Amino acid sequence: MNQFTLVGRERTILFSFMILGLVCMGITFIVDDEFHSRFWSNFLHNSVFFTGIAFLALMFLCANVIALSGWHVVFKRLWEAYAQFLLVGIILMTVVVIGVWFHAHHLYHWADAESVANDEILEGKSGFLNPVMYTIFSIIVVGVWYFFATKMRALSIEEDGVAKYDFSIHKKKMKTWASWFLPIGGFTSAAVIWQWIMSIDAHWYSTLFAWYCTISWFVSMLCITVLTLIYLKSRGFYEQVDANHFHDLGKYVFGFSVFWTYLWFSQYMLIWYGNIGEETIYFHQRLEQYPVLFYGNLIVNFVLPFFVLLRNDTKRKMGVMAVICSIVLFGHWVDYFLMIKPGVLHTAHELLGHGGHSALMGAAEAIPVGHQVAADAQAHAEHASNFVSGFSLPGLLEVGTFLGFAALFVFFFMRQLEQAPLVPERDPYIDESLHHHVV
Amino acid sequence: MKNKEVLFGLYDDEEVLLTAVKNARTAHLDIMDVYSPFPVHGLDPILGLSESRIHQAGFVFGLIGTLTAFLFMTWVFTRDWPIIFGGKPYWSVPAFIPIIFELTVLFASIGMVVTYYAVNGQGPGVSNPVLDDRITDDKFCVAFDVTDTAVDRVDVYQQFFRETGASEVKTKTI
């Protein structure tokens, strides 16, 4: 079987999840504060997460083309299909962009003209952090990515018509397009991440942040690939994909989970060592108010995949891979949650004039060491009273929204899969992929 | 140690070698060893070799390295010689992590090398007889131990080499 078609049951399930997502977003919108911070931050969180996954699918596809890699060819249509989701990503981000222009949401502190005027740091950054730049990066740059995604897919489908072992399309066109995309995508994605995520904590910056986000997306993309392959195999497609392909995907999940941890730790340790208030505030906030997510993030995204996927045989077992990849995928979603939510909450507090939160923290720092106990008690009191549903921990509404977006993503890429044969029979590297042996 | 009498056949091609080894296994011939100038894909399962356990040793050595670094630095910075660096607490775990990582890698790699040499009886001063110099270049070799082996058994081996297309058959005492 080489031609995928969505069956009625799949449509029903996916549409029910999408409706669930919409209902959850609707409820979030109603129960929200006056800025609808929870609704908008959920929207941004999921849009960014899935758009990034689509982008990373394209990056990895192009990197594999450049590297003359063959192992992935049998299921490369999956990544082509994921990359097409960039189109939906543009639409989703357009909603956020419109919100920035018309002040429908207050996700970004720099979007508030009054704050910028009274804030030296925000003013200094306003050359990059302003609605015009945000629009350029969210829509035009992502549009350029989408253009490359359609180009790579069109070439791949064009190749289905050539003779066997005909390298002409691969060598003359695909390689050229892929080698242009890698630097373009690589450099622009960093700026896009600064705009979309890092600028939520508008006063704070980290030079490592873009890599860290990218790898989070990359691991998520690999997890989705594994889960999709397992599902499609269970439906009888991709019988050519065997334990050897899963072994290689497992090695990627393992390796990049370790790399993610490396970047996470590098960012944390430099800020911890430097001990500059402007920088440590980012981690102080998360350690004090989000301890479960902060440490849980490390356990789920590093300790678990590290020890489970360290062994040779676990990477070759589809059951183990399915469980680990589901957990790690959710773990990286929570990672983005932890990047986005505290900053949004903080901005909302600032704009609502609550300010009390930061004043309290300042007071706690000012207390001399002898009064540490008092300060601790105060911090605890602050801690207990600071639980904000939908921010301190992902609630049911957040999970429902995630499922809705995930269903949209799955539905969209499955529609793309329907439009071309699943296995590219005429790819010059197809034989290498069909006879792939790892051990 | 008593010298070994080895009967070996040289093959020109890895595919021929793989078929030959397969035949030997089905005929229950007791292969002493197979030599090749490069790792032949799929040879291990045909030879019936079990998976190497060197990586399990590596994990244990790595763990020892982790604990060594962590416990040593904990002892130094809290008990033996506490110094304040940059206003940090004595027991500053984030600062230990790079060193913990380095010692994990160091212990795992050196431990695995030493284990490998010890298990295989290799090391400085150990002589390593080569059956035929061309095995390191372009020949593939299947070897049988024929020390004190009955003549008719040796004939079976000779027959096997003829049938499976060995280009040369030789004996050597090592």
Side-chain angles (χ1 to χ4, degrees):
Chain A
M1 284 202 290
N2 204 10
Q3 184 59 52
F4 175 78
T5 37
L6 269 167
V7 293
R9 198 168 50 93
E10 286 169 340
R11 275 171 201 275
T12 319
I13 293 172
L14 289 174
F15 275 110
S16 357
F17 274 122
M18 279 189 247
I19 292 165
L20 173 78
L22 279 177
V23 170
C24 284
M25 282 165 75
I27 298 173
T28 321
F29 196 79
I30 295 162
V31 301
D32 223 341
D33 64 16
E34 63 231 69
F35 287 160
H36 299 291
S37 315
R38 187 175 175 185
F39 167 82
W40 280 104
S41 54
N42 285 349
F43 188 84
L44 179 76
H45 175 199
N46 288 292
S47 305
V48 162
F49 185 65
F50 286 104
T51 311
I53 287 172
F55 166 68
L56 256 292
L58 182 59
M59 275 304 253
F60 197 42
L61 188 69
C62 290
N64 275 317
V65 168
I66 298 290
L68 309 180
S69 135
W71 68 278
H72 71 287
V73 165
V74 61
F75 58 85
K76 74 168 185 179
R77 287 278 147 84
L78 281 188
W79 292 339
E80 289 168 9
Y82 294 167
Q84 297 301 305
F85 187 79
L86 283 170
L87 179 65
V88 183
I90 296 171
I91 297 168
L92 293 172
M93 289 316 293
T94 306
V95 176
V96 180
V97 168
I98 292 169
V100 168
W101 280 100
F102 294 99
H103 300 286
H105 58 68
H106 295 274
L107 294 171
Y108 300 107
H109 203 174
W110 51 261
D112 185 60
E114 201 190 325
S115 302
V116 176
N118 297 320
D119 194 319
E120 214 176 314
I121 295 173
L122 291 185
E123 208 172 7
K125 290 184 179 182
S126 61
F128 179 68
L129 295 183
N130 58 53
V132 178
M133 289 295 259
Y134 193 86
T135 314
I136 291 174
F137 279 101
S138 304
I139 297 175
I140 297 178
V141 168
V142 182
V144 172
W145 298 351
Y146 176 65
F147 170 70
F148 277 94
T150 51
K151 203 72 206 172
M152 289 303 287
R153 183 167 169 85
L155 288 173
S156 163
I157 290 173
E158 190 189 333
E159 206 169 43
D160 281 346
V162 301
K164 196 145 191 174
Y165 305 126
D166 181 349
F167 278 84
S168 56
I169 291 178
H170 233 83
K171 272 195 175 147
K172 288 198 188 107
K173 295 178 184 164
M174 246 187 212
K175 257 175 80 178
T176 317
W177 284 99
S179 51
W180 274 106
F181 179 67
L182 284 180
I184 293 175
F187 284 111
T188 52
S189 66
V192 167
I193 289 166
W194 297 332
Q195 290 272 9
W196 285 356
I197 311 165
M198 202 167 84
S199 75
I200 289 173
D201 295 272
H203 291 93
W204 181 82
Y205 73 91
S206 158
T207 42
L208 230 156
F209 197 79
W211 299 333
Y212 166 69
C213 281
T214 311
I215 298 309
S216 206
W217 277 336
F218 187 37
V219 178
S220 318
M221 196 279 283
L222 292 165
C223 290
I224 289 191
T225 311
V226 171
L227 294 173
T228 317
L229 279 176
I230 291 173
Y231 176 71
L232 289 179
K233 272 183 85 69
S234 80
R235 267 203 57 195
F237 300 104
Y238 279 135
E239 67 269 28
Q240 304 93 330
V241 176
D242 57 19
N244 293 297
H245 298 93
F246 280 102
H247 195 154
D248 266 358
L249 283 167
K251 281 191 276 191
Y252 268 110
V253 174
F254 172 80
F256 279 90
S257 289
V258 174
F259 187 54
W260 174 87
T261 319
Y262 167 73
L263 293 175
W264 185 96
F265 181 72
S266 301
Q267 180 171 283
Y268 177 79
M269 194 186 73
L270 287 184
I271 290 175
W272 172 83
Y273 230 125
N275 202 15
I276 301 167
E278 292 92 320
E279 293 176 351
T280 48
I281 180 75
Y282 185 82
F283 285 110
H284 184 270
Q285 221 177 359
R286 280 158 182 77
L287 264 167
E288 288 292 310
Q289 293 161 44
Y290 302 83
V292 178
L293 292 184
F294 188 82
Y295 294 110
N297 192 8
L298 279 179
I299 292 166
V300 168
N301 292 334
F302 171 62
V303 179
L304 186 81
F306 182 81
F307 283 105
V308 175
L309 296 181
L310 188 61
R311 282 185 63 86
N312 229 357
D313 55 354
T314 46
K315 295 191 274 283
R316 302 178 72 84
K317 287 177 189 147
M318 281 199 277
V320 181
M321 283 292 278
V323 173
I324 288 298
C325 287
S326 316
I327 298 174
V328 171
L329 176 65
F330 189 70
H332 281 282
W333 180 80
V334 170
D335 185 27
Y336 273 90
F337 183 94
L338 198 55
M339 291 180 211
I340 288 172
K341 290 280 179 164
V344 173
L345 190 62
H346 192 77
T347 307
H349 272 269
E350 291 274 323
L351 294 179
L352 284 168
H354 284 182
H357 168 65
S358 45
L360 198 64
M361 271 183 12
E365 275 156 18
I367 294 170
V369 186
H371 294 95
Q372 192 62 47
V373 183
D376 279 352
Q378 197 174 357
H380 271 284
E382 176 196 354
H383 195 198
S385 63
N386 252 6
F387 188 90
V388 185
S389 53
F391 284 91
S392 303
L393 281 175
L396 285 179
L397 290 173
E398 275 69 31
V399 176
T401 313
F402 167 63
L403 290 175
F405 271 85
L408 176 67
F409 182 80
V410 173
F411 178 73
F412 190 85
F413 85 69
M414 283 192 164
R415 291 283 303 171
Q416 299 295 323
L417 283 181
E418 279 181 330
Q419 290 162 23
L422 281 183
V423 179
E425 305 278 3
R426 295 297 189 219
D427 189 294
Y429 295 95
I430 185 73
D431 278 344
E432 190 179 327
S433 190
L434 292 177
H435 302 110
H436 185 55
H437 286 286
V438 180
V439 286
Chain B
M1 209 167 79
K2 207 179 154 212
N3 280 345
K4 255 191 209 165
E5 183 90 9
V6 178
L7 175 73
F8 63 96
L10 295 178
Y11 295 86
D12 295 336
D13 189 85
E14 73 209 78
E15 290 300 326
V16 183
L17 173 87
L18 283 176
T19 336
V21 175
K22 245 182 243 172
N23 290 347
R25 293 279 297 173
T26 39
H28 298 291
L29 300 182
D30 191 15
I31 295 175
M32 183 185 95
D33 213 341
V34 176
Y35 301 91
S36 67
F38 55 80
V40 176
H41 216 94
L43 185 59
D44 287 19
I46 295 174
L47 264 176
L49 296 178
S50 58
E51 199 187 338
S52 161
R53 286 181 298 153
I54 189 87
H55 48 260
Q56 291 170 10
F59 182 77
V60 175
F61 286 120
L63 206 62
I64 294 171
T66 309
L67 289 175
T68 309
F70 182 67
L71 296 176
F72 180 70
M73 277 184 292
T74 301
W75 173 71
V76 167
F77 288 115
T78 58
R79 298 262 175 272
D80 184 51
W81 205 266
I83 299 176
I84 294 176
F85 290 103
K88 298 282 186 289
Y90 291 135
W91 196 58
S92 296
V93 178
F96 296 173
I97 287 182
I99 298 146
I100 291 175
F101 168 76
E102 298 294 350
L103 250 71
T104 307
V105 174
L106 183 76
F107 272 54
S109 48
I110 291 182
M112 274 157 81
V113 170
V114 171
T115 312
Y116 176 82
Y117 275 88
V119 167
N120 289 304
Q122 300 287 331
V126 175
S127 77
N128 200 5
V130 177
L131 291 177
D132 189 303
D133 284 346
R134 288 170 300 162
I135 294 169
T136 61
D137 180 21
D138 63 344
K139 296 283 180 197
F140 304 85
C141 163
V142 175
F144 293 105
D145 186 354
V146 287
T147 324
D148 306 329
T149 309
V151 180
D152 53 342
R153 192 69 188 153
V154 176
D155 284 343
V156 172
Y157 293 148
Q158 295 276 10
Q159 174 76 11
F160 161 77
F161 283 132
R162 270 196 300 278
E163 279 170 3
T164 54
S167 56
E168 285 166 49
V169 180
K170 290 178 179 177
T171 44
K172 188 169 179 176
T173 310
I174 55 172

